[in-house]
Amino acid sequence: MMITILAEKPDVGMKIAAALDRITLHNGSTVSFKQLKTREKAVKAQQNKDGFLKINFRGTECYVTWGFGHLATLKQAKDYNPDYANWRKMPIPFFPDTYEIKLIQFPEEKDKYGQNEKIKRQFQIIKKLMSKSEYVINATDYDREGEVIFSYIYELAGCRKPVKRACFSSQTKGGIQEGFTKNLIDGSQMKNLETAGRMRAIADAAVGYNVTAAMTLKNTSNDVLSVGRVQTPTLAMIVNRELQVTGFAKSKYYTITANFADLKTGLKQYTAEHSEKKFEKKEDAERIMRLINGKNGVVTNFAKVITSKAVPNLYSLSTLQMDANALFGFTLKETLDIAQTLYDGGFTTYPRTNSQFLTEDMVPTVNAVLDSLATTKEYGSLISSRDRNFDSKHFFDDAKVESHFAIIPTGVIPEDLDEKQSKVYDLIAKSVIRMLYPPAKIERTAIETTVAEEKFISHGSRIVDEGWMCCGRKIKEQDLPNMEIGEKVTGEYFMDEKETAPPKRYTDKSILTAMLSAGKELTDKELKKAMETLDVKGIGTEATRANIIDTLLHRGYIERKGKTIYATQKGIDIIQALPVEDIKSAALTAQWEIRLDEIAKGKEDPLKFQTDIEAATKAWCDTIMHSSIAVGTTDSNLFCPLCGKPIKEHKWGWGCSGYSDGCHFSVSRTIAGKNLTLNQVQSLLQNGETKKLKGFISKKTGDKFEAKLILDHGKVKFKF
């Protein structure tokens, strides 16, 4: 009698074997879990040679083996019929009667290190071990993707042996042992989650190869136009933002600010801005300046209130990625990779979690983690003097934890972390330490000052009790003096001319926010509230969002400059050429994600989901195949005023053909509610300005106005 344990990767297999028993090397020596770091080279050499590690588990002969992440995948259309390698010979859309799987195979030019043979060999080892086993234990990552990884291998191996599921969220010795004892469950309990993973793969395949083939075949150029179920709506958000930025027509506005000081001493000083904030017409601002210049003011309202700023939630992967991007400039992929490294090292818990809460039985776990952190120089002083009084519902809530709880340290103190790893670990460690602290107390002050019946507003804030903020992350303070209603002040007044600014391009943090909120413009506060209630109907998953952005970068559809993400001309072209809005819809993709989640809970019929996906794909392909897809047509009569290259006309407007070379000149087809004609754009590009045009609409007031459009250093502006 024997048992086979299948881990997702060799490193995890090594830890499982050492945690459940000891690893016996060919020379007869043994390696304990504690010795893994010093004996790693010898263990890995044996792993590479044998493809398994033999141990004793519960008194039974046991073989721990592993994949290399995904060993198998769904077949492509050409795998069903070799003729379909030529998309012109493939019926579009093509849906197989049964979605079959195959071992992953790298193209010959990418198989530099013999991965294909390595995969085949390891699969044969797994297949042989499974066939001899009484039962098999699935020890892949405890999530949707892990279930798919295991089930594909199990199916491809033709295995029919019973399956048990090991559920562990930390790769410490104790965490692994608990996963194979207390948390070892029957594999049938994971069937719904597995089905959801399979349906996700089917949806991605059906949309991917069919719509990509349709778009590519109908395109007038020879470029492959890649379309994906999640990739394309994400790209559409980035492209739409890019067009908002490049097509933005700046306009002037005016502000009035004041420096006030108390009339008696001149010591109580503060700044303020006019309650109107922005004046579109210069004459309006000048009229007010004439009214107030040289006049004193009076404090007509003064309010001071103490507010509480609650302790932040613990980290999900998404919120960790957001903070790491905002604070350190790390990309989504960098943070995911670092979090995975910390997990693999046994220092933190499973990273691909969407929960910011712990289960209600984890209070002892948190206390043990805090005890370990308290022994360190970095965190000891933050912990040692604190009572262990947790706001339990703020951190521990079974209803808000699905398969995985929030990311926390394991209590194993890391050594030899690099600078980036240390920064991410510090965020995770302090997120738990903050649990010991009360809310921060913020004093917020507001002053209303009136000058000649014109209102000026000042806002200030000051930390009066830092509470959890002693663990980092203080707010920006602006202290205001104590004033009394009726107190007179002197004033200096300033009028400034400014220009409206376009919306900001996405960063990793803001595109992640957009993906989580399915493209809706949510503030950080709104998103936080949505995530606390798990009312997040986003696109992609914790495990896939970073890879979606990386895929768009790899395909040249977007580019990153510092923290900022730009859509390339190639990316703009494919979104503008795609004639089906549904494929670009973040809201629709989010609805599919909800249905996949319902499948995982056993509340949705997977076959109905598959039927709906295939029906939608067929409708999209029909629309595309009856359309003419042209990606960017060049108008030989128009040339870029910045670099001299030809201008291309797109659905959204006109842009320089040298976009990929760094020239981002463009003219939006619609400016301030007015659609431009080709003749007007020709006049703008050839003469540097248009004649006075009617029909512009003020975004603020809704009033129509007239203006010329002019070119100012490559930017389109109004001239009144």
Side-chain angles (χ1 to χ4, degrees):
M1 186 175 81
M2 63 173 273
I3 300 166
T4 295
I5 296 173
L6 179 65
E8 195 161 312
K9 300 172 186 174
D11 285 355
V12 183
M14 178 199 310
K15 289 176 187 171
I16 290 171
L20 299 182
D21 188 17
R22 284 174 173 263
I23 296 170
T24 302
L25 300 179
H26 290 160
N27 63 10
S29 65
T30 60
V31 180
S32 67
F33 193 90
K34 193 173 181 180
Q35 295 172 312
L36 280 179
K37 192 169 184 180
T38 56
R39 306 290 304 279
E40 183 180 27
K41 187 174 180 181
V43 175
K44 283 190 172 180
Q46 186 160 312
Q47 285 183 288
N48 290 335
K49 182 179 180 181
D50 295 347
F52 61 82
L53 292 169
K54 184 180 177 183
I55 63 169
N56 184 287
F57 176 63
R58 293 181 170 179
T60 302
E61 183 179 63
C62 179
Y63 291 82
V64 181
T65 188
W66 46 82
F68 306 117
H70 288 268
L71 276 190
T73 186
L74 285 180
K75 287 183 176 180
Q76 298 177 349
K78 65 182 179 182
D79 296 313
Y80 297 96
N81 185 334
D83 289 345
Y84 296 171
N86 181 342
W87 285 340
R88 296 190 183 280
K89 296 181 179 180
M90 183 176 82
I92 296 178
F94 166 71
F95 304 119
D97 294 332
T98 302
Y99 286 85
E100 299 174 9
I101 56 176
K102 65 173 185 176
L103 287 179
I104 285 174
Q105 187 167 19
F106 293 90
E108 190 174 327
E109 66 274 11
K110 293 185 179 180
D111 189 23
K112 297 178 182 178
Y113 305 104
Q115 295 107 310
N116 291 334
E117 280 306 312
K118 189 178 178 182
I119 287 169
K120 287 178 186 175
R121 176 179 177 270
Q122 188 62 23
F123 172 71
Q124 290 302 323
I125 291 169
I126 295 168
K127 182 178 180 180
K128 184 177 180 181
L129 290 173
M130 283 183 170
S131 69
K132 294 181 177 180
S133 296
E134 180 187 4
Y135 64 90
V136 178
I137 299 177
N138 174 9
T140 59
D141 280 350
Y142 178 41
D143 60 12
R144 192 166 77 184
E145 287 305 300
E147 288 305 313
V148 171
I149 287 171
F150 175 83
S151 68
Y152 279 4
I153 295 171
Y154 183 85
E155 179 184 327
L156 208 56
C159 189
R160 296 292 182 270
K161 301 298 175 69
V163 175
K164 295 184 184 296
R165 194 356 145 173
C167 311
F168 53 94
S169 290
S170 78
Q171 291 188 22
T172 60
K173 183 177 180 179
I176 291 170
Q177 288 176 339
E178 190 173 82
F180 282 83
T181 53
K182 179 183 175 183
N183 296 329
L184 188 66
I185 63 176
D186 192 273
S188 62
Q189 294 183 42
M190 308 304 296
K191 193 62 184 176
N192 288 334
L193 190 63
E194 174 201 324
T195 302
R198 286 176 175 262
M199 286 298 108
R200 193 275 307 160
I202 286 171
D204 287 347
V207 174
Y209 58 65
N210 280 306
V211 182
T212 295
M215 283 290 292
T216 301
L217 290 175
K218 291 298 292 184
N219 182 22
T220 54
S221 73
N222 294 319
D223 293 337
V224 174
L225 301 183
S226 177
V227 178
R229 183 182 64 90
V230 183
Q231 163 196 314
T232 300
T234 303
L235 176 60
M237 290 190 291
I238 296 171
V239 166
N240 290 340
R241 179 60 57 86
E242 186 72 28
L243 298 180
Q244 288 172 6
V245 173
T246 56
F248 187 81
K250 291 182 179 180
S251 59
K252 292 179 181 179
Y253 68 95
Y254 303 86
T255 62
I256 298 175
T257 55
N259 291 338
F260 293 120
D262 70 288
L263 193 60
K264 289 181 180 179
T265 67
L267 297 178
K268 294 193 289 185
Q269 300 177 2
Y270 59 98
T271 61
E273 64 176 359
H274 194 278
S275 59
E276 190 70 17
K277 292 190 175 182
K278 290 183 180 181
F279 296 90
E280 288 192 354
K281 296 179 180 179
K282 186 177 183 180
E283 54 265 33
D284 290 342
E286 288 174 335
R287 176 181 57 79
I288 290 174
M289 285 295 291
R290 288 193 296 270
L291 281 174
I292 62 177
N293 260 334
K295 293 181 181 177
N296 294 332
V298 62
V299 176
T300 47
N301 206 346
F302 179 84
K304 184 174 286 189
V305 63
I306 304 292
T307 61
S308 290
K309 191 169 181 64
V311 183
N313 291 101
L314 298 169
Y315 280 119
S316 65
L317 175 60
S318 292
T319 54
L320 181 65
Q321 288 171 316
M322 288 179 187
D323 276 0
N325 180 249
L327 295 169
F328 314 129
F330 296 171
T331 67
L332 303 184
K333 187 68 163 60
E334 277 182 304
T335 303
L336 173 58
D337 289 347
I338 292 168
Q340 183 68 41
T341 299
L342 294 173
Y343 170 64
D344 290 342
F347 307 131
T348 58
T349 57
Y350 182 74
R352 293 173 176 84
T353 173
N354 66 350
S355 180
Q356 295 180 266
F357 296 84
L358 303 174
T359 55
E360 292 160 20
D361 62 355
M362 289 184 69
V363 173
T365 302
V366 171
N367 275 315
V369 168
L370 290 167
D371 288 342
S372 293
L373 293 174
T375 66
T376 67
K377 179 181 176 182
E378 293 87 351
Y379 307 118
S381 61
L382 293 171
I383 299 170
S384 57
S385 61
R386 306 301 305 178
D387 292 330
R388 303 287 177 91
N389 296 320
F390 303 119
D391 179 359
S392 58
K393 270 299 179 183
H394 190 65
F395 303 109
F396 303 91
D397 190 341
D398 289 349
K400 294 177 181 177
V401 178
E402 294 181 352
S403 56
H404 291 287
F405 49 78
I407 306 170
I408 61 171
T410 60
V412 176
I413 304 303
E415 298 175 1
D416 304 323
L417 298 183
D418 63 28
E419 183 182 357
K420 289 185 176 181
Q421 291 166 351
S422 295
K423 286 179 175 179
V424 173
Y425 182 81
D426 185 65
L427 288 177
I428 297 169
K430 285 182 176 174
S431 74
V432 173
I433 296 170
R434 290 194 299 249
M435 296 169 69
L436 299 174
Y437 287 81
K441 301 294 185 185
I442 313 296
E443 180 185 81
R444 302 191 185 277
T445 306
I447 304 175
E448 179 189 83
T449 309
T450 302
V451 184
E453 297 186 0
E454 296 296 325
K455 305 292 186 185
F456 286 83
I457 307 298
S458 307
H459 291 286
S461 59
R462 181 173 67 89
I463 299 172
V464 293
D465 182 353
E466 62 182 1
W468 63 267
M469 288 185 177
C470 70
C471 300
R473 299 244 237 128
K474 293 179 173 59
I475 65 167
K476 187 177 180 180
E477 295 183 274
Q478 182 183 345
D479 206 5
L480 289 177
N482 288 320
M483 306 297 292
E484 294 182 7
I485 295 176
E487 190 169 357
K488 293 182 179 179
V489 293
T490 60
E492 291 182 281
Y493 309 104
F494 308 91
M495 185 181 85
D496 293 302
E497 180 181 286
K498 298 182 179 180
E499 286 186 329
T500 54
K504 292 182 178 179
R505 289 181 173 89
Y506 285 114
T507 62
D508 281 68
K509 177 182 178 180
S510 58
I511 190 59
L512 178 55
T513 303
M515 293 172 78
L516 281 166
S517 58
K520 297 174 186 174
E521 294 291 338
L522 295 188
T523 65
D524 284 350
K525 188 174 182 180
E526 289 170 332
L527 183 66
K528 181 175 181 287
K529 184 176 180 181
M531 295 188 73
E532 283 178 1
T533 59
L534 293 184
D535 184 25
V536 179
K537 301 176 176 65
I539 61 175
T541 66
E542 304 294 319
T544 62
R545 292 184 187 107
N547 288 332
I548 292 164
I549 299 301
D550 263 30
T551 297
L552 294 174
L553 285 163
H554 176 72
R555 289 179 172 156
Y557 293 152
I558 64 173
E559 58 187 356
R560 187 185 277 116
K561 297 178 183 178
K563 284 187 180 182
T564 306
I565 296 172
Y566 292 73
T568 64
Q569 190 64 56
K570 184 178 180 182
I572 294 171
D573 284 346
I574 189 170
I575 292 300
Q576 293 297 336
L578 188 56
V580 184
E581 291 303 313
D582 277 352
I583 309 179
K584 298 180 273 189
S585 167
L588 176 65
T589 306
Q591 289 301 316
W592 284 349
E593 294 290 353
I594 293 169
R595 293 183 69 182
L596 288 170
D597 189 53
E598 292 294 287
I599 291 170
K601 295 173 181 174
K603 297 178 180 179
E604 164 90 21
D605 179 1
L607 292 180
K608 176 68 166 59
F609 174 81
Q610 179 180 328
T611 300
D612 290 348
I613 286 287
E614 290 178 348
T617 301
K618 182 181 185 306
W620 297 339
C621 289
D622 289 346
T623 299
I624 291 167
M625 297 306 286
H626 289 90
S627 301
S628 177
I629 310 298
V631 180
T633 56
T634 303
D635 190 322
S636 58
N637 295 320
L638 298 178
F639 297 92
C640 177
L642 295 181
C643 70
K645 291 183 178 178
I647 290 290
K648 281 187 175 182
E649 183 173 3
H650 308 267
K651 288 185 178 180
W652 54 266
W654 295 264
C656 179
S657 59
Y659 192 99
S660 58
D661 298 323
C663 183
H664 294 169
F665 174 78
S666 66
V667 180
S668 177
R669 190 175 296 278
T670 303
I671 295 178
K674 177 178 176 60
N675 291 325
L676 300 184
T677 66
L678 178 60
N679 287 337
Q680 290 164 348
V681 174
Q682 285 176 330
S683 175
L684 178 65
L685 297 182
Q686 293 168 1
N687 306 322
E689 67 176 28
T690 66
K691 64 181 182 180
K692 185 177 284 188
L693 304 176
K694 297 180 179 180
F696 294 112
I697 301 172
S698 169
K699 187 175 182 181
K700 183 175 181 181
T701 65
D703 295 336
K704 291 187 176 182
F705 64 92
E706 300 178 4
K708 290 183 177 182
L709 293 178
I710 64 168
L711 288 178
D712 183 4
H713 297 91
K715 298 291 184 183
V716 180
K717 296 184 178 180
F718 290 117
K719 182 178 180 181
F720 296 96

